Amino acid sequence: MGKRVAVVLAGCGVFDGSEIHEASAALVHLSRGGAEVKIFAPNIEQRDVVNHLKGSPAEEKRNVLVESARLARGNIQDLAELKASEFDAVIFPGGFGVAKNLCSWAVDGKDCTVNEHVNSTLQAFHSAKKPIGLCCISPVLAAKVFPGCEVTVGQDKNVDGRFPDAETASAIAELGCKHVCKNVNESHVDKANKIVTTCAFMCKAPLHEIFDGIGTMVQEVLKLA
């Protein structure tokens, strides 16, 4: 029987929800790894809605669970219903929705608050010593909830212009966590906390390299599960 993995989404679309390529990559690698997957999202209103064609705010309201259902092909549950006891691991793809809807990092940085159901989910898996996988911006969730943990969001300097959000590494360090520099095709494993992270679109890289990096994260999560 395959490992049971919960995947937590934050909407649909890079600028206000989950990054679609990252979510898809995680699901493909989980499928290849023989995992049994269930998808969740919080039943809350999005912080904002962005017109992805124009890159500008849209004057409308959308629900995170409803939008995430697009990625889940309709097969999704409210995050409030997730029970860590029923799973072996949990994975959080990235996208601005993580920093806007799952927490307030997009507005408050390291002083952000984390959604109550996201926080309780992370705490439950961590307490049960079950692995947590995060990519792109989502490692900040672990940095905020688990002071002292180790994560990567890529590099701590904008190497060759490929890591434009490198200052995130400094904010993670200010939270008392260790940032470990990794390339896009690598992941970092915090063995003590069973937290696996990879930078994904925090690096300006070809899509196949991002896909492969997420693959290493998923593989390490399944090994720990």
Side-chain angles (χ1 to χ4, degrees), residues 2-225:
K3 300 294 170 64
R4 302 164 301 168
V5 181
V7 174
V8 180
L9 300 180
C12 181
V14 59
F15 299 128
D16 58 15
S18 289
E19 212 297 321
I20 292 170
H21 296 293
E22 292 180 13
S24 180
L27 292 169
V28 170
H29 286 296
L30 285 166
S31 175
R32 183 169 286 150
E36 178 186 333
V37 176
K38 289 189 177 179
I39 304 174
F40 297 84
N43 186 11
I44 57 174
E45 189 176 297
Q46 290 184 187
R47 177 175 290 273
D48 63 7
V49 178
V50 176
N51 180 321
H52 279 58
L53 178 61
K54 297 179 179 179
S56 58
E59 294 300 320
E60 59 180 286
K61 294 181 179 181
R62 296 193 183 187
N63 176 281
V64 174
L65 179 59
V66 172
E67 291 301 296
S68 298
R70 294 174 180 270
L71 284 168
R73 297 173 61 87
N75 189 8
I76 192 167
Q77 294 172 259
D78 187 339
L79 182 60
E81 299 172 6
L82 194 162
K83 295 181 176 63
S85 60
E86 297 177 355
F87 294 91
D88 301 304
V90 64
I91 287 177
F92 290 78
F96 277 99
V98 172
K100 291 178 174 181
N101 304 325
L102 303 192
C103 71
S104 64
W105 187 278
V107 176
D108 302 318
K110 65 182 177 62
D111 298 318
C112 70
T113 56
V114 178
N115 171 274
E116 61 174 319
H117 296 302
V118 173
N119 185 61
S120 62
T121 295
L122 288 166
Q123 294 282 10
F125 278 85
H126 187 259
S127 295
K129 294 180 168 45
K130 294 180 177 182
I132 299 166
L134 310 109
C135 66
C136 193
I137 191 63
S138 65
V140 302
L141 296 172
K144 186 66 180 180
V145 176
F146 307 118
C149 72
E150 299 176 0
V151 298
T152 188
V153 288
Q155 300 291 323
D156 56 11
K157 294 181 178 61
N158 189 9
V159 182
D160 299 326
R162 298 176 75 227
F163 294 89
D165 301 304
E167 72 277 0
T168 304
S170 299
I172 286 168
E174 287 177 32
L175 286 169
C177 299
K178 180 180 180 181
H179 179 267
V180 182
C181 291
K182 292 284 183 178
N183 290 321
V184 67
N185 60 344
E186 300 175 311
S187 55
H188 176 70
V189 182
D190 177 346
K191 294 181 180 178
N193 290 294
K194 291 194 172 182
I195 295 170
V196 187
T197 50
T198 189
C199 67
F201 276 102
M202 294 293 274
C203 176
K204 288 185 174 180
L207 182 57
H208 71 278
E209 292 184 9
I210 290 162
F211 181 89
D212 292 345
I214 292 171
T216 69
M217 180 267 286
V218 169
Q219 289 166 15
E220 293 295 341
V221 166
L222 294 178
K223 281 182 194 174
L224 290 171

